[in-house]
Amino acid sequence: AGKGDFFGPLVISAVYVNDETKEKLKKVGVKDSKKLSDEQINEIAEQIKLICKNKFSIINLIPSEYNKLYEKYKNLNKLLSHAHSVVINDLLNKTKCKTVITDKFSKKKLEIEEQKNHVDINFIKETKAEKYIGVAAASILARNEFNKWFEQMEKKNLNLPKGSSIITEQKAIEIVKNYSTKLNEICKLHFKTLNKAKTNV
């Protein structure tokens, strides 16, 4: 969650699912997160955590951490590969899982696929992978964390739009004028939105 959003974090999540938890997750409404409202996502996320217990992993790269990592990788797909690999590795250490399904964002292998200790794992990468219950559940957990960040900003009287629309560009201009010192803490610095905002100030 947050890959295409100028403001806010990038959140990556992984969920371990077996036959038993799969059915339970379906019953609580787990499906493609794009078909759920923020309220539904926040409700279902709590149910996922109860059903899966500790067999999920979440990385919440708040903007300052995201920007630091982007400086290191200089490429969003490489950064995504790294973050996916961290949450997947965390779950592989907790479970005896042999199949890993991820949403396909690049033709290249994930960092973790290159590791010799994971040669027995079947890595499946597909576009629109949220048709799989585990990927859908992971996406809901990621979106939930993403939502929480915006709620925290609201409490600080900073109402920031999601996405990267005209509204986002207008807000970016306002932010550059008034909060330029905080940019690293609230937005992804490599987005073209920031350059546009700076030229319009």
Side-chain angles (χ1 to χ4, degrees), residues 47-59:
Q47 294 297 317
I48 294 168
K49 289 174 183 177
L50 288 171
I51 291 165
C52 297
K53 300 190 168 73
N54 70 329
K55 289 173 181 170
F56 63 88
S57 183
I58 303 170
I59 285 185

Side-chain angles (χ1 to χ4, degrees), residues 119-136:
V119 289
D120 59 334
I121 305 295
N122 179 24
F123 288 94
I124 300 167
K125 293 190 287 295
E126 285 190 26
T127 51
K128 297 181 180 175
E130 285 192 50
K131 64 185 177 186
Y132 297 103
I133 200 87
V135 179

Side-chain angles (χ1 to χ4, degrees), residues 24-45:
K24 289 180 181 177
L25 291 170
K26 281 181 185 173
K27 280 179 185 172
V28 298
V30 171
K31 59 181 177 182
D32 187 336
S33 65
K34 291 184 283 296
K35 295 175 181 174
L36 298 167
S37 67
D38 284 348
E39 290 76 18
Q40 288 173 311
I41 279 170
N42 295 344
E43 264 180 47
I44 296 169

Side-chain angles (χ1 to χ4, degrees), residues 29 36 38 50 79 83 115 147 155 168 176 188:
L36 298 167
D38 284 348
L50 288 171
L79 193 160
Q115 294 173 10
N147 289 344
K155 286 174 186 171
T168 309
V176 169
K188 300 177 180 81

Side-chain angles (χ1 to χ4, degrees), residues 8 62-64 67 149 153 156 181-187 189:
I62 58 171
S64 57
N67 291 321
W149 185 89
M153 290 300 109
K156 295 176 182 177
T181 53
K182 286 187 178 180
L183 287 172
N184 186 50
E185 296 171 23
I186 59 174
C187 70
L189 298 177

Side-chain angles (χ1 to χ4, degrees), residues 85-182:
S85 298
V86 171
V87 290
I88 290 165
N89 190 58
D90 184 33
L91 273 196
L92 290 176
N93 288 334
K94 291 178 184 175
T95 66
K96 293 177 181 177
C97 179
K98 294 295 175 192
T99 303
V100 174
I101 305 170
T102 56
D103 208 33
K104 188 176 183 180
F105 54 83
S106 168
K107 290 177 183 174
K108 293 182 178 176
K109 287 184 175 183
L110 295 172
E111 256 183 31
I112 195 167
E113 290 183 74
E114 308 286 2
Q115 294 173 10
K116 289 176 183 174
N117 56 327
H118 293 313
V119 289
D120 59 334
I121 305 295
N122 179 24
F123 288 94
I124 300 167
K125 293 190 287 295
E126 285 190 26
T127 51
K128 297 181 180 175
E130 285 192 50
K131 64 185 177 186
Y132 297 103
I133 200 87
V135 179
S139 179
I140 289 168
L141 289 189
R143 197 80 202 169
N144 175 240
E145 285 296 314
F146 183 74
N147 289 344
K148 283 180 187 174
W149 185 89
F150 281 87
E151 287 163 13
Q152 285 169 0
M153 290 300 109
E154 277 180 32
K155 286 174 186 171
K156 295 176 182 177
N157 295 317
L158 200 54
N159 294 314
L160 301 170
K162 294 172 185 173
S164 53
S165 63
I166 296 292
I167 297 165
T168 309
E169 288 179 14
Q170 289 167 347
K171 191 69 179 182
I173 293 166
E174 182 193 318
I175 293 288
V176 169
K177 279 181 185 174
N178 303 314
Y179 303 95
S180 57
T181 53
K182 286 187 178 180

